[in-house]
Every structure is written in structure tokens, then in C-alpha cells.
Amino acid sequence: MSAGMLSIASARSVPTSRAISYRENNGIDHIHAGMAVVVQAMVQSESSGVLFTANPLTGRRNESVLEAIPGLGEALVSGLVEPDRYIVSRSSDKDVVIKDKRIGAKAKAIRSVEGGGVREE
């Protein structure tokens, strides 16, 4: 995908109900809303994960949620596999407690292939 096509595809997300709601809830002017597109090089990874610094299901800011899988994050974000999930709670005195731990099935993994491409294991 060329940079121009990437910009057009990204611009299509601006008028979605989710984006509009976010801007309204955060006092961001719709007309002057900016957008950024990040392009990163893929690296060989043994495992990948996503960390939410606030619990996305409850909105609790004193809880962080970590989901992790073996291989590339593509399998996680696409919903291909059930990840390991940890919910960590921080108290006011900065103590950290693992509130919930669920080990996922992780039946598949996506790995990068040297020279380009991916393979499913």
C-alpha cells in the first residue's frame, strides 16, 4: 500500500461514530482534529502483547490489562488466538497486585519468515 493510499484509508476513520465520540468526550474540535499514521519496521519476535494502562472493560484507571501471545501480534489483534491475560491492580500506595490471570489456549502462532512474509504454526 502506498503512502497516499494509507493516508486515504486512515482519513476514512475520522468520521466514524467512535472517532466523533472520542473527540466530543475530550473537547477536540472536529474541524481542526489532527491525525497521525505510524509506519514501523517489523521485527522478529518471540512473543507479542498489548498493554492497556486503564482497564478497557471497566474504565478503571488503577488497573492495567496485559494480553500476550507467542509470535507476532497479528494473531492477537485479529482475534485468531486466545491470549494469556493479566489484570494488574495498583493501589494508592503503589503496591501492585495481579488481580486476575488467565492462560489462553494459544493454539496457533504467526511467525515472520526471514526475507519477508509470515507463516502460521
Side-chain angles (χ1 to χ4, degrees):
M1 181 180 292
S2 72
M5 291 175 66
L6 185 60
S7 296
I8 292 168
S10 300
R12 288 185 181 143
S13 70
V14 173
T16 64
S17 60
R18 183 175 179 187
I20 291 168
S21 175
Y22 178 85
R23 288 192 301 273
E24 287 177 353
N25 290 334
N26 290 284
I28 299 170
D29 179 28
H30 296 290
I31 301 299
H32 298 99
M35 177 181 23
V37 176
V38 177
V39 179
Q40 297 177 312
M42 184 163 58
V43 298
Q44 301 285 358
S45 62
E46 290 294 320
S47 58
S48 300
V50 176
L51 173 68
F52 298 94
T53 56
N55 190 324
L57 299 177
T58 65
R60 292 187 182 127
R61 294 187 163 282
N62 69 327
E63 292 180 354
S64 294
V65 177
L66 171 66
E67 294 183 337
I69 60 165
L72 300 175
E74 179 180 338
L76 175 61
V77 298
S78 69
L80 182 65
V81 297
E82 179 187 354
D84 294 344
R85 173 180 283 176
Y86 299 87
I87 299 177
V88 178
S89 178
R90 299 173 306 281
S91 65
S92 59
D93 59 356
K94 303 298 180 192
D95 286 335
V96 177
V97 175
I98 297 176
K99 188 174 178 179
D100 189 37
K101 173 182 172 181
R102 296 184 187 180
I103 304 302
K106 301 178 299 292
K108 297 179 181 180
I110 296 177
R111 306 264 184 208
S112 57
V113 176
E114 197 165 325
V118 296
R119 73 177 186 279
E120 193 174 300
E121 297 178 343

